[in-house]
Amino acid sequence: MSKLSQIYGYWKNSIKASMKRYDENMERSLKHLQNFYSTVLKYYIIDWSRYFESQPFRHSLRQKIESFFGKNEINFVAIDGTCVKDEGSDFITFFAGAYGARGKIIIKHEGEKIKYERWDFARDVTMVAQIPVFPYEIEFVANSPELSQMQFYSDKDIQEILNLHTSLMKLAEIYLAYHVVSSSTVDMPQIILLDLAPSTLLRVPYVNYKSTNYLGYKYLNDTIKLSDVIVALSHPYNSLLGVPSRKKYRRYALLLSKLDEVCSQNQKNYFTYRELTEICHLSIEDVKEIVRFLDATGVVEDDEAAGIKLLVNLSQRWSYLVSFFDYICNQIFIRKNPTALEFSNFSEESNIKKLISHDDINFLISIGIRALIEKCWEKNVFLIGIVKDSKSRYFCRNFLNVLSSQNMLGDGNENVDIKNFQIAMSDRLVFENCAALSTELCAPWSSVEFDSAFATLFVDRNNSVTGVKGHIVADDRIFAKSIAQFYLQRSKKQCKMGHAIFVERLLHPSLDRQFLDVILLENSKLGRLSPFIHLDKKVINWGQAMNIYFLDVLTRNHFPEVIGYPEPLHKADRGAKTLLRFAKGIIHSSQQLYRKDPLNMTFRKFRDKLEFEDEE
């Protein structure tokens, strides 16, 4: 046997051993899953097909839809993004864009009809930006954590760190959504579909807010201040949903929202500590802790003996920030102004002009997603996020585990410990295997909805609920998550199905207030947590019913590559890929002048472009 044959034999044995281990682990997990499903999981799964087959339910659902939207022709826009990074020897080009597919759902008594509409050619519906970055500019576009890592990595690793194009793509998607929802009443969509989880953008790791280049940026005869950053991060506000909530993490948002509510009724800007405790229903110690932070960031002036003076007009500053976000993104994506990606001020270390950085894009995303949420609340717009291939375990590991630790599982399972079920699978695999194991399920079906804040809630070894790093809990009472499946066919020999997908929906006061009354826990570490929880699946969740109904109508299964996936998002994806194909051509053609000199290409690119025959 030759040495090469031995090497192939080693590879084969390694692969066979790995596959055997995987099959054994999967077999064990499936045995646990059968018990888990019959004991716990089936009480948190809703078979929507049975509801939708009922004429009285469909009639009630259509009434709810017409009452919520005020009409039975529902406009929708599906948005998907695209991006690419092209590396050369002298510069790296970051390209990002977003594309929208538009249509309407026409609801009639005899059924539903989908009608796609072309955008007016005179209107630009793509959001595109391109940033060429030269090697010496890398340190100016990286954020602080990346800068601290760069000294330990090679040139190639440094370029991989700078995934500026992915952040820019998210900004393009959010701005396109904000742009269409802010349009005229005729063109405005009632449903916005995003190919991402919007709640994750609220958790943008924007810790280094002091390092953004937009601090001191001049706009409309004013400048962006540190206090403006704090005001922006305190949003969104919705008193009917109780947003911001009374959790401890970022509790300053609760105080600012209450002050904004009071100040909108009168022009008061001075408050005693007693008034602050009555407004927020917090202890004097908690209020003083918040005030110290707001005083350090320039939002209030603290007079410990008497009270505080509000130094900014909260509603005016928020309107100013939203206008600033709209202006900057308009310059970047619509006017395609390359100077909008630059800053006129020079760095202190050198006279090199700065480009937009990760921190700057994150700041714009933070404003944009909050402005989009409040605009959707204002105009009764369904904001839906779809995630295809998540490996998360938020439902089984986080949500059910937290309920189990608080003895809130119900249906006689109050004392059941979820940890005893050793399910070594992601939520997607759990639900897809449940569909194969349980013959009673029909598409569409889904889990009950749970608050997106559960993504940051865990049960530690002491059976206590904790957040990220002990105290960090994501914004609650804003988005509800669920896992759903929209294609499932059974026969005697096999079960055909599409993937289970992850669905996220913006909560609305008129639909979801009844599920916000349960107090999950209250302690000194996390504060009071009362997130969105749908404990009893027998109680109709009309918000989720409308959401699953819309997605079921939009899932037409016309394309074999996306069975069980909403068709408009696939159309948006195809449009985004077409946009990317043209962009790549433009990027490559723009480098023709540089290709005349081989030294302008990287060594790897120059070598790979040469065609030669293998040596004998």
Side-chain angles (χ1 to χ4, degrees):
M1 180 183 293
S2 67
K3 191 65 177 177
L4 185 60
S5 298
Q6 286 182 338
I7 293 174
Y8 287 150
Y10 295 150
W11 288 350
K12 179 181 178 181
N13 293 337
S14 176
I15 293 172
K16 287 177 67 176
S18 300
M19 293 179 66
K20 181 180 179 181
R21 185 178 66 254
Y22 172 80
D23 291 338
E24 290 174 351
N25 290 335
M26 184 61 68
E27 185 177 354
R28 294 191 190 98
S29 294
L30 286 174
K31 290 180 180 178
H32 285 282
L33 181 60
Q34 287 178 317
N35 188 22
F36 179 53
Y37 176 79
S38 61
T39 305
V40 177
L41 195 57
K42 69 178 183 180
Y43 298 108
Y44 294 90
I45 286 178
I46 304 173
D47 190 344
W48 291 105
S49 65
R50 298 184 180 181
Y51 284 106
F52 295 161
E53 289 170 359
S54 168
Q55 285 297 115
F57 181 84
R58 291 177 69 89
H59 179 70
S60 299
L61 181 60
R62 287 168 178 167
Q63 285 184 326
K64 290 280 185 181
I65 292 173
E66 291 185 19
S67 174
F68 185 81
F69 293 112
K71 56 183 179 179
N72 59 3
E73 291 191 5
I74 314 300
N75 297 327
F76 66 82
V77 171
I79 296 172
D80 198 5
T82 185
C83 61
V84 69
K85 176 173 63 176
D86 188 84
E87 299 179 17
S89 177
D90 287 335
F91 60 85
I92 310 168
T93 301
F94 298 97
F95 170 85
Y99 182 86
R102 174 184 172 189
K104 65 174 57 178
I105 301 173
I106 304 172
I107 302 174
K108 298 181 179 180
H109 291 290
E110 60 272 15
E112 303 82 18
K113 180 181 177 182
I114 300 177
K115 180 181 178 182
Y116 287 97
E117 299 177 354
R118 291 184 177 275
W119 294 87
D120 185 354
F121 190 73
R123 295 180 57 191
D124 188 356
V125 297
T126 60
M127 299 294 170
V128 177
Q130 180 176 326
I131 311 178
V133 178
F134 294 86
Y136 60 78
E137 296 176 307
I138 286 178
E139 61 182 287
F140 300 111
V141 300
N143 58 27
S144 299
E146 289 171 344
L147 284 172
S148 64
Q149 295 177 10
M150 282 182 180
Q151 55 185 320
F152 305 109
Y153 291 97
S154 65
D155 292 345
K156 181 73 175 178
D157 294 328
I158 289 174
Q159 293 181 359
E160 289 299 323
I161 287 174
L162 297 176
N163 290 320
L164 203 67
H165 53 309
T166 57
S167 298
L168 200 62
M169 178 185 69
K170 293 176 183 177
L171 179 61
E173 292 178 78
I174 291 302
Y175 181 62
L176 180 53
Y178 178 80
H179 184 68
V180 296
V181 84
S182 302
S183 60
S184 65
T185 306
V186 177
D187 296 331
M188 189 194 76
Q190 283 75 49
I191 300 174
I192 296 178
L193 293 167
L194 297 176
D195 190 39
L196 53 81
S199 67
T200 59
L201 300 183
L202 285 174
R203 304 198 304 269
V204 166
Y206 194 67
V207 180
N208 303 302
Y209 51 81
K210 294 183 180 180
S211 62
T212 175
N213 291 307
Y214 283 120
L215 285 177
Y217 187 92
K218 293 183 179 180
Y219 171 67
L220 293 181
N221 299 321
D222 205 342
T223 57
I224 304 294
K225 307 176 185 65
L226 182 57
S227 58
D228 294 325
V229 178
I230 303 304
V231 171
L233 296 180
S234 70
H235 281 258
Y237 297 164
N238 191 311
S239 59
L240 295 177
L241 288 174
V243 177
S245 69
R246 296 182 62 188
K247 63 182 175 64
K248 191 168 185 178
Y249 181 61
R250 285 187 176 173
R251 192 174 272 177
Y252 67 85
L254 173 64
L255 178 59
L256 292 181
S257 68
K258 297 297 183 182
L259 291 178
D260 182 60
E261 189 177 338
V262 172
C263 293
S264 63
Q265 299 172 0
N266 55 67
Q267 299 301 316
K268 185 176 181 179
N269 65 349
Y270 188 87
F271 300 87
T272 65
Y273 279 107
R274 182 177 179 180
E275 289 175 322
L276 294 178
T277 57
E278 292 175 353
I279 290 173
C280 298
H281 301 288
L282 299 175
S283 66
I284 186 69
E285 292 77 14
D286 289 336
V287 169
K288 287 187 176 181
E289 182 182 353
I290 297 171
V291 167
R292 282 194 293 271
F293 172 76
L294 295 178
D295 179 64
T297 52
V299 180
V300 303
E301 183 179 357
D302 184 16
D303 182 359
E304 295 184 3
I308 66 165
K309 180 181 180 181
L310 193 59
L311 298 179
V312 298
N313 187 309
L314 296 173
S315 60
Q316 287 183 5
R317 297 314 293 177
W318 173 239
S319 299
Y320 173 78
L321 289 168
V322 174
S323 175
F324 159 77
F325 160 78
D326 191 16
Y327 168 76
I328 294 294
C329 291
N330 181 279
Q331 292 293 315
I332 294 174
F333 296 115
I334 295 181
R335 296 184 179 275
K336 314 297 193 284
N337 181 3
T339 61
L341 300 167
E342 301 174 352
F343 292 91
S344 58
N345 57 314
F346 295 95
S347 65
E348 297 177 359
E349 295 81 8
S350 67
N351 61 352
I352 298 173
K353 185 178 289 188
K354 286 188 176 182
L355 287 174
I356 195 169
S357 70
H358 269 296
D359 288 332
D360 305 324
I361 296 176
N362 285 342
F363 179 50
L364 293 173
I365 291 175
S366 297
I367 298 174
I369 184 61
R370 288 163 170 82
L372 174 62
I373 289 170
E374 293 190 351
K375 188 68 73 172
C376 289
W377 279 334
E378 176 190 340
K379 297 191 174 184
N380 270 11
V381 174
F382 251 54
L383 179 61
I384 305 171
I386 303 292
V387 179
K388 300 184 287 293
D389 299 317
S390 173
K391 295 179 176 62
S392 68
R393 299 175 61 197
Y394 297 146
F395 185 80
C396 295
R397 183 193 60 188
N398 294 40
F399 174 59
L400 293 182
N401 217 355
V402 169
L403 291 186
S404 175
S405 70
Q406 301 302 112
N407 298 322
M408 294 174 62
L409 282 178
D411 290 296
N413 294 314
E414 288 83 357
N415 298 320
V416 172
D417 190 353
I418 300 297
K419 294 179 181 177
N420 294 331
F421 299 97
Q422 300 176 13
I423 311 296
M425 299 180 186
S426 66
D427 287 337
R428 181 178 67 82
L429 285 177
V430 166
F431 276 72
E432 289 170 3
N433 280 291
C434 283
L437 293 172
S438 175
T439 57
E440 60 188 28
L441 290 175
C442 298
W445 66 280
S446 76
S447 70
V448 297
E449 288 185 321
F450 60 100
D451 202 299
S452 62
F454 279 97
T456 55
L457 288 173
F458 309 89
V459 178
D460 60 20
R461 295 180 180 178
N462 299 321
N463 205 38
S464 299
V465 179
T466 181
V468 179
K469 296 183 179 179
H471 69 288
I472 298 176
V473 179
D475 294 320
D476 53 343
R477 307 164 75 93
I478 300 177
F479 287 101
K481 288 178 173 287
S482 62
I483 303 109
Q485 192 175 50
F486 294 96
Y487 180 80
L488 179 61
Q489 285 189 352
R490 302 182 189 277
S491 64
K492 293 182 179 180
K493 295 183 179 180
Q494 60 183 348
C495 175
K496 299 178 182 179
M497 68 174 73
H499 282 300
I501 61 175
F502 296 78
V503 181
E504 200 166 272
R505 172 180 68 88
L506 179 65
L507 301 176
H508 284 272
S510 61
L511 298 172
D512 303 302
R513 289 179 66 183
Q514 62 174 322
F515 301 109
L516 297 171
D517 297 331
V518 178
I519 298 177
L520 181 66
L521 59 89
E522 186 171 8
N523 56 41
S524 58
K525 181 174 70 174
L526 299 178
R528 174 181 287 187
L529 290 181
S530 183
F532 176 94
I533 304 177
H534 183 196
L535 290 174
D536 187 358
K537 71 173 187 178
K538 297 175 185 176
V539 178
I540 300 298
N541 177 354
W542 288 106
Q544 185 181 17
M546 292 166 61
N547 194 30
I548 296 295
Y549 171 75
F550 290 138
L551 293 177
D552 186 46
V553 170
L554 294 173
T555 304
R556 290 303 191 184
N557 301 319
H558 291 161
F559 301 92
E561 66 271 24
V562 285
I563 293 293
Y565 188 70
E567 185 180 89
L569 280 175
H570 181 56
K571 288 183 175 290
D573 174 70
R574 295 176 72 174
K577 287 179 178 176
T578 302
L579 185 68
L580 179 62
R581 187 167 64 250
F582 283 112
K584 284 182 177 180
I586 294 173
I587 292 172
H588 292 160
S589 65
S590 66
Q591 298 174 359
Q592 291 296 333
L593 291 176
Y594 292 93
R595 290 176 183 172
K596 294 179 180 179
D597 185 356
L599 294 180
N600 282 323
M601 287 187 288
T602 62
F603 192 99
R604 186 182 302 275
K605 278 193 173 183
F606 179 73
R607 182 194 63 186
D608 293 344
K609 280 184 174 295
L610 295 179
E611 297 181 359
F612 57 90
E613 296 182 359
D614 292 337
E615 296 181 359
E616 295 293 337

